[in-house]
């Protein structure tokens, strides 16, 4: 699973919607147990609004970019973030001193790298491929110019970051008709892209959001923020300023509003930030030569913010009393308190009595004593006891516990092996050298003939949506 220095995303180019789609597909293919994607819907000109999930935690952080068309470098920055964080997780490396694997086991970072794909495409490529009528309309919105490099709006001439229902009526310096920038529309949420963003935010329920824009090297962090949130939000803002070197924008008494960050703070009373990358670029896109410096300034922002998201999420969780038996499948740390990151005693694989759960922490009674554990995915499980055989026609890896990122014990040649347990899509294979875990999506299960509900030999025995695709030579 190691792809040392195998970058997928190349940010040193005009980063288009088409390139982004290709890169998202490649990232999902390379890191199937870490990266996933989904379409939030379709724009007026038929482009998918893509969301990418990176990580495996229950808490959520949300990063987005390219609300404004000419600010497409924010898309390449976020895509570079996904690529770099996934590589670091895969290789168990740190970035900027942050433990990437631990953070992404705790948090799922959601990205919408390009909120405005229609506008970005227009800004980069002009009206090529559009009908004469549409091209003429867009030139009118652009002051009768055929140079769309300055374009900020979507292709209806709506400024997406003036479309959110946060003091919408009081937005300042607004155009009164469709234009290349600053037209807030006839009502908030008129743009399909904004509707999709609001619905998606409600669904993933993030603890922290960051909207990337360009340019100016400044950070907005306040929008009519209530007094009880001020210290929390300003502390995070100061840390982001320390990471990036950017300046904090002082709060205004009567802020203009209409932006995603404004709406998020108003609606959720949680920390929301707008980060403006790059030195001031005027009415145009940021020059490519600035990207390396921008990456250096922002490469740890997602990881720092993930840690803040996790802390806020964990603090809100209520204890659930379980009183059940579970299997600890790999060595882990036993802590005296929830949230500890050091000083734990090592406990060995064993059957544990699980007393309670708070967030992703478990209070357990182990042979070594009473305490709390924070197991990574697959380490703590309730295993279904089964009796079957599994066959495979290609050499497959065997793992220490049921997770694609657990240590590989060995590789097993094609054969048939007895199966004694199941956890999700994973199977416990019994071999002379001990019990190993194999990915059930890569094998075919056969059940004893005496079983009442016998499953045909060609069926993997997994739920229908998890059935493996037929492969050449599969038994």
């Amino acid at each position: 699973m190691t792809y040392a220095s195998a970058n997928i995303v190349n940010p040193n180019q005009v980063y288009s919607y088409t390139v982004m789609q290709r890169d998202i597909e490649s990232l999902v293919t390379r890191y199937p147990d870490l990266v996933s994607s989904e379409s939030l819907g379709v724009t007026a000109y038929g482009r998918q609004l893509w969301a990418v999930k990176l990580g495996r935690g229950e808490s959520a952080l949300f990063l987005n970019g390219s609300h404004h068309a000419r600010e497409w470098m924010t898309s390449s920055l976020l895509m570079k973030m996904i690529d770099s964080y996934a590589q670091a997780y895969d290789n168990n490396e740190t970035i900027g001193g942050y433990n990437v694997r631990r953070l992404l086991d705790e948090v799922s970072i959601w990205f919408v790298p390009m909120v405005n794909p229609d506008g970005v495409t227009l800004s980069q490529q002009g009206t090529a491929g559009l009908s004469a009528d549409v091209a003429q309309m867009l030139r009118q919105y652009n002051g009768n110019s055929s140079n769309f490099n300055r374009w900020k709006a979507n292709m209806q001439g709506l400024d997406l970051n003036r479309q959110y229902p946060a003091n919408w009526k009081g937005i300042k310096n607004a155009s009164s008709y469709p234009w290349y920038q600053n037209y807030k529309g006839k009502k908030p949420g008129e743009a399909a892209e904004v509707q999709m963003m609001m619905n998606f935010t409600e669904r993933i329920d993030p603890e922290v959001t960051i909207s990337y824009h360009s340019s100016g090297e400044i950070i907005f962090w306040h929008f009519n923020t209530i007094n009880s949130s001020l210290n929390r939000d300003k502390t995070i803002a100061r840390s982001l300023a320390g990471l990036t070197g950017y300046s904090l924008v002082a709060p205004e008494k009567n802020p203009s509003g209409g932006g995603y960050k404004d709406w998020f703070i108003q609606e959720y009373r949680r920390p929301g930030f707008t980060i403006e990358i790059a030195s001031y670029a005027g009415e145009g896109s940021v020059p490519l030569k600035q990207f390396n410096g921008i990456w250096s300034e922002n490469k740890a922002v997602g990881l720092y913010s993930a840690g803040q998201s996790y802390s806020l999420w964990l603090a809100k969780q209520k204890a659930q009393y379980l009183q059940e038996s579970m299997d600890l499948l790999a060595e882990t740390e036993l802590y005296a308190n929830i949230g500890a990151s050091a000083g734990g005693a090592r406990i060995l694989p064993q059957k544990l009595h699980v007393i309670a759960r708070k967030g992703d922490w478990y209070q357990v009674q182990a042979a070594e004593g009473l305490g709390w554990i924070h197991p990574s995915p697959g380490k703590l499980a309730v295993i279904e006891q089964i009796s079957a055989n599994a066959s495979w026609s290609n050499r497959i890896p065997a793992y220490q516990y049921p997770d694609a990122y657990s240590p590989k014990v060995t590789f097993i040649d094609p054969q048939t092996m007895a199966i004694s347990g199941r956890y999700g899509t994973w199977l416990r294979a019994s071999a002379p050298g001990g019990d190993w875990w194999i990915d059930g999506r890569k094998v075919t299960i056969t059940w004893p003939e005496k079983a009442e509900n016998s499953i045909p030999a060609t069926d993997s025995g997994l739920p229908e949506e998890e059935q493996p695709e037929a492969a050449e030579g599969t038994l």
Side-chain angles (χ1 to χ4, degrees), residues 79-90:
M79 290 297 295
K80 172 72 173 175
M81 215 176 266
I82 299 169
D83 192 7
S84 299
Y85 293 0
Q87 283 188 59
Y89 186 103
D90 200 45

Side-chain angles (χ1 to χ4, degrees), residues 28 96 168 202 235 280-281 294 356 385 420 433 439 441-442:
V28 171
W168 181 83
E202 181 180 7
T235 297
Y280 184 61
I294 291 166
Q385 304 298 317
S420 61
D439 187 342
R441 295 169 295 185
K442 298 180 179 179

Side-chain angles (χ1 to χ4, degrees), residues 68-99:
H68 290 145
R70 71 189 185 207
E71 300 173 16
W72 50 262
M73 189 175 282
T74 61
S75 297
S76 45
L77 173 63
L78 292 174
M79 290 297 295
K80 172 72 173 175
M81 215 176 266
I82 299 169
D83 192 7
S84 299
Y85 293 0
Q87 283 188 59
Y89 186 103
D90 200 45
N91 297 321
N92 201 13
E93 297 170 344
T94 62
I95 291 178
Y98 291 94
N99 185 326

Side-chain angles (χ1 to χ4, degrees), residues 232-246:
R232 178 199 66 190
D233 293 7
K234 193 167 188 179
T235 297
I236 297 174
R238 284 172 169 165
S239 295
L240 291 171
L243 283 172
T244 59
Y246 300 164

Side-chain angles (χ1 to χ4, degrees), residues 145-327:
S145 171
S146 296
N147 183 352
F148 288 87
N149 184 53
R150 69 176 182 173
W151 189 272
K152 288 180 72 176
N154 72 358
M155 283 176 65
Q156 286 80 51
L158 284 164
D159 187 323
L160 298 183
N161 212 45
R162 291 173 174 237
Q163 264 277 289
Y164 291 91
N167 194 26
W168 181 83
K169 289 184 177 180
I171 291 175
K172 303 170 186 175
N173 303 317
S175 170
S176 57
Y177 45 83
W179 194 236
Y180 74 94
Q181 66 178 2
N182 297 348
Y183 177 53
K184 69 178 185 178
K186 296 178 180 178
K187 61 181 180 179
E190 181 181 349
E193 298 92 333
V194 168
Q195 294 173 23
M196 287 184 265
M197 285 286 286
M198 291 192 293
N199 292 338
F200 181 63
T201 302
E202 181 180 7
R203 174 155 63 89
I204 65 172
D205 197 25
E207 297 297 329
V208 177
T209 67
I210 295 175
S211 295
Y212 268 106
H213 285 256
S214 66
S215 54
E217 298 181 333
I218 53 178
I219 299 173
F220 296 90
W221 63 276
H222 187 285
F223 182 79
N224 296 327
T225 303
I226 59 176
N227 288 336
S228 60
S229 300
L230 278 174
N231 287 338
R232 178 199 66 190
D233 293 7
K234 193 167 188 179
T235 297
I236 297 174
R238 284 172 169 165
S239 295
L240 291 171
L243 283 172
T244 59
Y246 300 164
S247 302
L248 296 186
V249 176
E252 296 181 55
K253 289 185 178 180
N254 297 299
S256 182
Y260 177 85
K261 177 266 296 177
D262 309 328
W263 169 78
F264 180 77
I265 292 174
Q266 173 185 280
E267 189 74 15
Y268 290 87
R269 303 299 187 195
R270 298 175 188 172
F273 306 91
T274 295
I275 299 180
E276 300 268 3
I277 63 168
S279 54
Y280 184 61
E283 288 198 339
S285 55
V286 175
L288 284 173
K289 64 183 180 181
Q290 290 193 35
F291 183 84
N292 289 341
I294 291 166
W295 172 244
S296 178
E297 294 158 354
N298 288 274
K299 65 181 179 182
V301 164
L303 298 172
Y304 164 77
S305 303
Q308 296 303 305
S309 297
Y310 178 70
S311 296
L312 292 170
W313 172 82
L314 185 61
K316 296 193 306 189
Q317 303 308 302
K318 296 181 179 179
Q320 300 172 300
Y321 294 94
L322 303 178
Q323 303 294 348
E324 65 177 307
S325 178
M326 298 180 74
D327 291 292

Side-chain angles (χ1 to χ4, degrees), residues 23-42:
D23 287 350
I24 289 172
E25 183 178 349
S26 297
L27 286 161
V28 171
T29 300
R30 178 171 293 181
Y31 306 105
D33 296 287
L34 183 64
V35 180
S36 60
S37 66
E38 61 178 272
S39 171
L40 305 185
V42 182

Side-chain angles (χ1 to χ4, degrees), residues 390-399 408-419 425-429 436-444 471 474:
S391 304
W392 53 94
S393 57
N394 298 303
R395 202 164 182 251
I396 62 171
Y399 297 84
K408 293 184 182 71
V409 179
T410 187
F411 283 83
I412 314 175
D413 291 329
Q415 61 183 282
T416 298
M417 190 173 285
I419 300 299
T425 62
W426 290 85
L427 302 171
R428 183 174 61 194
W436 300 328
W437 287 91
I438 59 176
D439 187 342
R441 295 169 295 185
K442 298 180 179 179
V443 305
T444 300
T474 300

